[in-house]
Amino acid sequence: MADVTGTTGLAVVIPVWNDAAGLDRLLGQISRIDAITQVVVVDDASDYPADPLATGWRPERLGAELIFARNAQQRGAGYARNRGLAKVTAPRMIFFDSDDRFTPEFEHLLAELPDEAFDFCLFSHADSRVAQEGGWGPLPGDERLWAEAGVWRAMAELPRDKVPELIQLTAYPWNKIYRTGFLREHDIRCTEIMVHNDIELHWLSFLRAGRILVSDRVAAVHEVHPAGRRLTNRSGAERLRVFDALAGVSAEIAQAEPAFLLPFLRFSMALFHWALGLVGAEHEAAYRARMRAFLLACLDGEGFARIARAEPELAARINACLRDGCEKALA
């Protein structure tokens, strides 16, 4: 694992799979951002190697150190991100997907980061689905969470009592600027599975951080492709591996403040509702069985009673799932 050196500088870790055009566009953006001092590209066994050095992206043109690695076989974005993180030497870093892009606000965000240590800075983003409808910003659910947390300003420290609210944001890996040492000190990594690999990264970051900064600057655009070969569109048995990621978070939730249990179950039930629409018919029964086993494992009688008092509707949906009524509960 590379040692973190220096006091300034930002690394961008980019997993890429069959997206040479997106990578080239993103590197063009990075070449105009002076604060980025290191770029780590990990090609997850693309059909044709997405080597930026082969397409003319020399460090002097990029304006940053450039490291390239290629996986011998496709392992998923989680493995690629972990491999890239191990090579980072800059004190701060961000995971960024090749098909997403920075906005001009990103440089303003970087300029506002304090010199003193923080564990990560969470910022807002624009979702391409919202932009297609003429809007600007995240999906309505995330927008609502930001509003309810009441922390909208250019740069602020997130109060501890607001962490259970913002932890419910969609588990993206690229809307946070991390202190590299924080991830290594707490052994926070992506789950090395083909889909849902960013759940542990997101939740454990919030649960283990001591100082979180937040910014309402829309500093990135997330591109969503509803069809195609992207990992997020897969419907096979790999969807069952989501419970590997959730188990790690559930174990941490069991040791955390009681205030985190309700957000975690809200998140889990919403995830199950979304994922069941993607799971192939031949895997639905196994998925529902794993879902019931997961809920039984993470909820004791006291925990369920706490959920029932705080949010009866959610408790009813969980209870229906445990009685094998998942279709109705997740409708």
Side-chain angles (χ1 to χ4, degrees):
M1 180 176 293
D3 292 328
V4 176
T5 59
T7 57
T8 60
L10 175 72
V12 183
V13 173
I14 309 169
V16 59
W17 180 70
N18 286 350
D19 186 29
L23 176 63
D24 189 71
R25 180 185 66 184
L26 179 57
L27 293 177
Q29 282 196 308
I30 289 172
S31 70
R32 299 186 291 273
I33 302 175
D34 293 340
I36 295 175
T37 58
Q38 186 179 41
V39 177
V40 182
V41 176
V42 181
D43 179 2
D44 192 29
S46 297
D47 295 340
Y48 300 96
D51 183 353
L53 292 168
T55 55
W57 283 109
R58 305 295 175 184
E60 56 272 19
R61 179 187 174 197
L62 188 61
E65 178 189 11
L66 179 59
I67 298 173
F68 174 72
R70 176 173 163 83
N71 298 334
Q73 61 185 33
Q74 190 179 23
R75 300 281 296 273
Y79 177 86
R81 290 188 183 107
N82 290 342
R83 188 177 181 189
L85 173 61
K87 298 179 181 296
V88 170
T89 57
R92 296 172 180 175
M93 62 81 56
I94 182 172
F95 297 107
F96 213 75
D97 289 352
S98 61
D99 56 349
D100 294 334
R101 62 186 187 275
F102 295 112
T103 74
E105 290 291 286
F106 186 70
E107 290 189 83
H108 295 295
L109 174 73
L110 295 179
E112 291 164 352
L113 290 174
D115 292 334
E116 61 268 24
F118 59 90
D119 291 326
F120 69 90
C121 174
L122 171 75
F123 57 86
S124 189
H125 73 281
D127 189 287
S128 64
R129 290 165 290 187
V130 175
Q132 288 166 6
E133 298 296 324
W136 183 249
L139 291 172
D142 282 359
E143 186 89 20
R144 175 182 55 79
L145 289 169
W146 276 106
E148 291 177 354
V151 292
W152 285 106
R153 64 181 72 178
M155 183 67 66
E157 186 165 348
L158 182 65
R160 184 65 190 173
D161 64 344
K162 298 295 184 181
V163 176
E165 296 181 41
L166 285 189
I167 200 173
Q168 299 172 81
L169 290 167
T170 305
Y172 293 127
W174 42 258
N175 59 354
K176 305 171 188 73
I177 296 173
Y178 286 103
R179 179 171 63 84
T180 309
F182 164 67
L183 294 177
R184 293 182 179 161
E185 290 156 15
H186 293 271
D187 192 28
I188 298 174
R189 297 156 48 86
C190 294
T191 316
E192 294 186 355
I193 53 182
M194 293 303 289
V195 291
H196 305 301
N197 64 80
D198 42 15
I199 291 175
E200 281 191 281
L201 174 69
H202 174 90
W203 279 79
L204 297 185
S205 294
F206 275 95
L207 291 169
R208 296 178 182 177
R211 188 182 186 211
I212 302 172
L213 303 180
V214 291
S215 173
D216 63 0
R217 290 195 181 276
V218 178
V221 177
H222 176 48
E223 295 287 345
V224 178
H225 307 277
R229 299 174 62 199
R230 283 169 57 98
L231 295 177
T232 51
N233 298 318
R234 293 195 175 198
S235 60
E238 58 264 46
R239 286 287 170 194
L240 300 176
R241 297 290 306 278
V242 65
F243 297 98
D244 297 349
L246 287 173
V249 178
S250 180
E252 192 97 358
I253 291 289
Q255 305 300 319
E257 303 166 24
F260 286 100
L261 179 61
L262 178 57
F264 181 57
L265 287 170
R266 282 187 194 132
F267 165 81
S268 299
M269 292 297 284
L271 174 65
F272 296 152
H273 177 248
W274 175 80
L276 270 174
L278 295 173
V279 173
E282 68 274 26
H283 302 295
E284 285 185 14
Y287 192 94
R288 291 193 174 97
R290 291 287 301 274
M291 181 169 57
R292 290 191 292 274
F294 166 78
L295 291 170
L296 284 169
C298 70
L299 262 180
D300 57 18
E302 180 182 346
F304 186 82
R306 190 182 307 126
I307 298 301
R309 288 192 297 269
E311 202 163 310
E313 188 274 338
L314 177 63
R317 292 170 59 211
I318 292 172
N319 205 27
C321 276
L322 295 176
R323 295 196 310 266
D324 201 16
C326 296
E327 295 89 343
K328 180 179 179 181
L330 297 179

